[in-house]
């Protein structure tokens, strides 16, 4: 019975290895997150927002405009003498384009205050089967709506992949082109895919390495399991057969040969007795 236990264990291990063969396998990873630039600031609701027109200005009142209208100080917005605009607890209403300047003839400085978040990076690697379909989604959200472009091995995807196999659509946050669908997948689709996000001067990307496996790659582990099961059944069958009826085997062990002789002797003895 112990040998059966070992065989069952081996079959289990084999099945586990085999199961890894097919379907889409992705390994997740967490890498860096979005960062602001000097000109584009991400608004985080409830958090403070500080825009500084000129860090050298100490006592020059700057003129601040938001979306074309002059900003006046209030309970919500503070304008400091050092040319800073400060909002202690920002809200969605504060999204917009801010400009500041010291006088009419000087060039204005622009700050884009936006909402932008990437809810999830693309997986580090993505495995797909040839002839299957592949879908990658850039889980980005923003206000105003950010721009998304896809690159494959550094080149714009639409320029490389035949448009009959390629479809771009918006993600669940209504960002256009953020979902990429390739169907059917070909061996040549193997490569590095980048989702490039832009929002004014913020540029961010998330990337995944796509590996295309041929259809048989999924079949081999399955065939392996079948072969294993057949082999195990054969071994168990032979083992059980030997154990249950050793007397009818052409056995090579002395013990069984002895037993056989004994049986024959007994038979002869019986026959002799009957006589
Ligand atoms: C401007 O003044 C405010 C309030 O005094 C301060 O919090 C802020 O850091 C100052 N900004 C600069 C650039 O010095
Ligand atoms: C601030 O002053 C320093 C030194 O005077 C100068 O190098 C720098 O460019 C100035 N910064 C701005 C934003 O004008
Ligand atoms: C902010 O500026 C951008 C670029 O100049 C412009 O496209 C956009 O409409 C502006 N947004 C608002 C709310 O005015
Ligand atoms: C795209 O597919 C069409 C038909 O399937 C084919 O005629 C064309 O040459 C392909 N273009 C490229 C760039 O592969
Ligand atoms: C989405 O991608 C298509 C194909 O490249 C492009 O023509 C279109 O302008 C893009 N849409 C947006 C909103 O970027
Ligand atoms: C993607 O971002 C990394 C840093 O996060 C940068 O080094 C790389 O150049 C970016 N790639 C593209 C295509 O912008």
């Amino acid at each position: 019975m112990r040998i059966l236990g070992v065989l069952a264990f081996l079959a289990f291990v084999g099945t586990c290895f085999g199961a890894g063969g097919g379907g889409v396998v992705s390994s997740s990873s967490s890498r860096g997150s979005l960062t602001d630039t000097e000109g584009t600031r991400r608004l985080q609701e409830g958090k403070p927002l500080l825009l500084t027109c000129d860090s050298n200005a100490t006592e020059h009142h700057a003129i601040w405009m938001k979306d074309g209208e002059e900003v006046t100080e209030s309970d919500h917005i503070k304008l400091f003498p050092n040319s800073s605009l400060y909002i202690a607890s920002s809200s969605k209403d504060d999204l917009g384009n801010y400009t500041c300047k010291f006088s009419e003839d000087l060039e204005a400085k622009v700050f884009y205050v936006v909402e932008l978040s990437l809810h999830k990076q693309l997986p580090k690697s993505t495995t797909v089967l040839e002839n299957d379909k592949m879908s990658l989604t850039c889980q980005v959200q923003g206000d105003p709506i950010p721009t998304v472009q896809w690159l494959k091995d550094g080149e714009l995807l639409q320029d490389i992949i035949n448009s009959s196999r390629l479809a771009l659509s918006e993600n669940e946050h209504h960002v256009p082109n953020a979902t990429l669908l390739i169907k059917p997948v070909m061996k040549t689709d193997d490569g590095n895919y980048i989702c490039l996000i832009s929002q004014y001067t913020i540029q961010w990307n998330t990337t995944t390495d796509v590996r295309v496996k041929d259809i048989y790659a999924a079949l081999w582990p399955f065939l392996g399991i079948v072969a294993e099961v057949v082999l195990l059944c054969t071994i168990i069958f032979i083992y059980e057969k030997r154990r249950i009826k050793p007397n009818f085997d052409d056995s090579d062990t002395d013990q069984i040969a002895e037993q056989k002789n004994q049986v024959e002797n007994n038979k002869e003895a019986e026959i002799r007795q009957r006589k």
Side-chain angles (χ1 to χ4, degrees):
M1 274 302 118
R2 198 189 296 164
I3 194 163
L4 284 181
V6 171
L7 290 177
F9 173 74
L10 285 177
F12 173 74
V13 169
T15 308
C16 291
F17 274 113
V24 174
V25 181
S26 305
S27 65
S28 63
S29 71
S30 67
R31 283 155 282 164
S33 60
L34 283 160
T35 47
D36 293 357
T37 65
E38 173 62 17
T40 309
R41 302 297 178 82
R42 288 184 312 136
L43 179 130
Q44 283 160 312
E45 275 186 86
K47 296 275 173 63
L49 176 72
L50 176 70
L51 306 177
T52 299
C53 196
D54 181 355
S55 50
N56 286 342
T58 47
E59 284 298 327
H60 291 286
H61 259 290
I63 302 154
W64 282 96
M65 310 278 279
K66 183 194 173 210
D67 298 330
E69 281 183 41
E70 190 167 345
V71 177
T72 51
E73 221 170 347
S74 67
D75 288 346
H76 187 62
I77 299 182
K78 294 275 171 274
L79 297 173
F80 293 133
N82 62 6
S83 82
S84 293
L85 181 154
Y86 179 75
I87 297 170
S89 173
S90 58
S91 73
K92 263 179 102 76
D93 291 338
D94 299 320
L95 292 174
N97 299 348
Y98 293 77
T99 58
C100 79
K101 55 184 173 183
F102 291 102
S103 69
E104 286 303 321
D105 20 286
L106 286 175
E107 212 190 315
K109 188 167 172 181
V110 184
F111 296 91
Y112 300 107
V113 176
V114 302
E115 260 188 339
L116 185 62
S117 43
L118 182 60
H119 296 295
K120 211 174 162 196
Q121 304 263 6
L122 286 174
K124 207 173 156 68
S125 68
T126 307
T127 306
V128 286
L129 288 180
E130 198 181 351
N131 287 346
D132 210 346
K133 61 173 190 270
M134 171 175 84
S135 170
L136 297 176
T137 295
C138 209
Q139 304 230 15
V140 63
Q141 180 173 22
D143 184 0
I145 302 276
T147 307
V148 169
Q149 285 181 307
W150 290 91
L151 302 181
K152 187 201 169 210
D153 298 325
E155 284 185 76
L156 208 58
L157 195 71
Q158 297 92 303
D159 298 346
I160 317 171
I161 295 193
N162 208 324
S163 60
S164 59
R165 293 196 298 123
L166 181 72
L168 291 167
S169 55
E170 64 181 34
N171 68 8
E172 60 190 293
H173 309 295
H174 310 293
V175 178
N177 291 353
T179 295
L180 164 74
L181 178 72
I182 296 178
K183 185 184 163 188
V185 172
M186 287 166 64
K187 203 82 187 84
T188 53
D189 295 334
D190 224 274
N192 174 254
Y193 287 71
I194 295 177
C195 166
L196 203 57
I197 301 157
S198 1
Q199 178 80 293
Y200 300 118
T201 55
I202 294 182
Q203 276 227 339
W204 198 252
N205 68 69
T206 171
T207 177
T208 185
D209 284 315
V210 170
R211 280 183 207 97
V212 179
K213 278 194 174 183
D214 64 281
I215 307 158
Y216 298 104
L219 203 57
W220 290 131
F222 174 72
L223 290 180
I225 293 169
V226 171
E228 195 175 359
V229 168
V230 168
L231 186 70
L232 288 182
C233 289
T234 312
I235 291 170
I236 292 167
F237 180 74
I238 292 171
Y239 175 78
E240 289 290 305
K241 201 176 153 199
R242 286 197 169 196
R243 204 174 58 91
I244 292 167
K245 355 182 226 177
N247 293 352
F248 300 100
D249 268 4
D250 292 331
S251 183
D252 50 2
T253 62
D254 293 348
Q255 213 190 343
I256 289 169
E258 241 172 71
Q259 280 179 351
K260 237 180 175 180
N261 284 344
Q262 241 178 335
V263 171
E264 266 155 35
N265 287 346
N266 286 351
K267 272 185 194 165
E268 273 172 34
E270 255 180 79
I271 292 162
R272 260 185 253 122
Q273 271 180 359
R274 280 189 201 162
K275 277 180 187 172

